Amino acid sequence: MWQDIRTLNATANALFGLVALALVSCCLWWVAQRPYFTLKVIRIEGAEQAQLRHINPLTVRSAVLARIKGNFFTANLDTVRQTFESVPWVRKATIRRDWPNQLTVTLEEHTPLGTWGEDGRLLSTKGDVFTANLAEAEEDTNLLTFNGPPGSEKEVVARLNDLNEWFAPLNLSAEALSLSGRYAWTVKLSNGVTVEFGREKSSTTLKERVDRLVGIYPQLLARLQDRIESIDMRYPNGLALKAQGLKVGSDSKKK
């Protein structure tokens, strides 16, 4: 080996390259640790230039700053993102580095739609369940009431939108919507009437039952006025209802 000039040159070049690489790495590490790159500015802005309604940038920055480790080069952006997303009202955080010592944080807020379950959590318009100050949420809108099995949140919000569209001819909307553990639907309308729709046997079951109710509801209202308390639409060809001082069952012949 020691007499093989080519092998010796190749070995020497390899060693020289490793030493040079180590020196460059040490230099880069030394430069990266300079105080010049210490994070001095964390700028917080709303997504798509939207104004943040429930998030105070100063308060959030103070709460999160102590939990951010590293400098411009070494800060773990995924960890920083998770830290901001743990703050109440934050739905999504996007982090980017801005040379030489700044992070820009873009925050998307939850938009509350109603309450979910009985433990004080909120449901957003995008079907996300989150925890925040209930009084603040009530400042934005009249909160609806939702319930359903875990994981059904987005389905419930989608069905709310469907129901509001289907009940529009009656100038009614849903103010409470529940999906039971057996996946049966119950809706409370804006006039206070509760409607049982049951389980969806097919993709058209719910729509067909709503259409049937919308078609007959003006007749029921003309006879019973505002005395209707609840309606059961789980019958294949009819309905049953409960009104103040009256209970009526209806099948296809009685209808």
Side-chain angles (χ1 to χ4, degrees):
M1 171 181 176
W2 301 110
Q3 296 176 353
D4 189 338
I5 300 301
R6 292 183 178 179
T7 301
L8 289 174
N9 287 338
T11 302
N13 290 337
L15 291 173
F16 178 79
L18 291 174
V19 171
L21 181 61
L23 288 174
V24 171
S25 298
C26 290
C27 290
L28 291 176
W29 181 87
W30 182 85
V31 171
Q33 301 304 314
R34 297 305 88 202
Y36 181 70
F37 299 110
T38 300
L39 292 174
K40 297 179 180 179
V41 178
I42 298 180
R43 186 163 65 91
I44 298 176
E45 60 186 19
E48 299 180 355
Q49 306 302 316
Q51 182 180 0
L52 297 173
R53 290 180 51 82
H54 301 285
I55 299 172
N56 185 311
L58 292 176
T59 302
V60 172
R61 187 185 297 109
S62 299
V64 171
L65 188 59
R67 299 161 60 185
I68 297 177
K69 307 300 181 183
N71 61 16
F72 178 83
F73 292 105
T74 61
N76 187 315
L77 296 192
D78 189 55
T79 300
V80 176
R81 175 187 60 78
Q82 294 177 17
T83 301
F84 275 96
E85 289 180 351
S86 68
V87 174
W89 288 106
V90 176
R91 178 179 184 268
K92 182 180 179 181
T94 303
I95 317 296
R96 75 169 186 267
R97 306 179 204 265
D98 286 333
W99 181 267
N101 50 21
Q102 175 175 312
L103 293 181
T104 297
V105 183
T106 303
L107 300 180
E108 179 186 345
E109 284 185 311
H110 287 291
T111 302
L113 180 62
T115 59
W116 179 264
E118 300 178 355
D119 55 1
R121 292 182 298 168
L122 293 164
L123 182 69
S124 77
T125 55
K126 294 189 177 181
D128 298 317
V129 173
F130 64 103
T131 302
N133 189 301
L134 190 61
E136 289 185 47
E138 290 174 336
E139 293 176 358
D140 284 352
T141 184
N142 293 324
L143 297 178
L144 307 180
T145 304
F146 299 96
N147 209 337
S152 66
E153 298 87 355
K154 286 181 171 54
E155 181 182 2
V156 170
V157 171
R159 273 309 188 203
L160 171 76
N161 296 330
D162 291 337
L163 289 167
N164 286 340
E165 179 183 345
W166 298 337
F167 277 108
L170 299 178
N171 293 320
L172 295 174
S173 60
E175 66 176 30
L177 183 59
S178 176
L179 182 62
S180 73
R182 297 181 65 252
Y183 285 83
W185 292 98
T186 302
V187 59
K188 183 179 179 182
L189 298 173
S190 51
N191 62 356
V193 175
T194 299
V195 185
E196 296 277 356
F197 285 110
R199 301 174 66 182
E200 295 188 68
K201 298 179 180 179
S202 71
S203 59
T204 61
T205 299
L206 189 59
K207 177 67 163 59
E208 291 170 352
R209 291 177 178 176
V210 172
D211 287 344
R212 188 150 44 87
L213 177 57
V214 170
I216 197 174
Y217 192 79
Q219 301 175 45
L220 298 175
L221 193 62
R223 294 182 181 183
L224 300 172
Q225 298 181 355
D226 296 329
R227 293 188 293 158
I228 302 174
E229 296 179 358
S230 63
I231 301 174
D232 191 340
M233 296 300 301
R234 292 175 293 180
Y235 298 89
N237 297 308
L239 58 86
L241 65 81
K242 178 181 178 182
Q244 295 178 13
L246 175 68
K247 290 185 179 180
V248 178
S250 173
D251 57 22
S252 57
K253 294 182 180 179
K254 293 179 182 178
K255 177 181 175 182

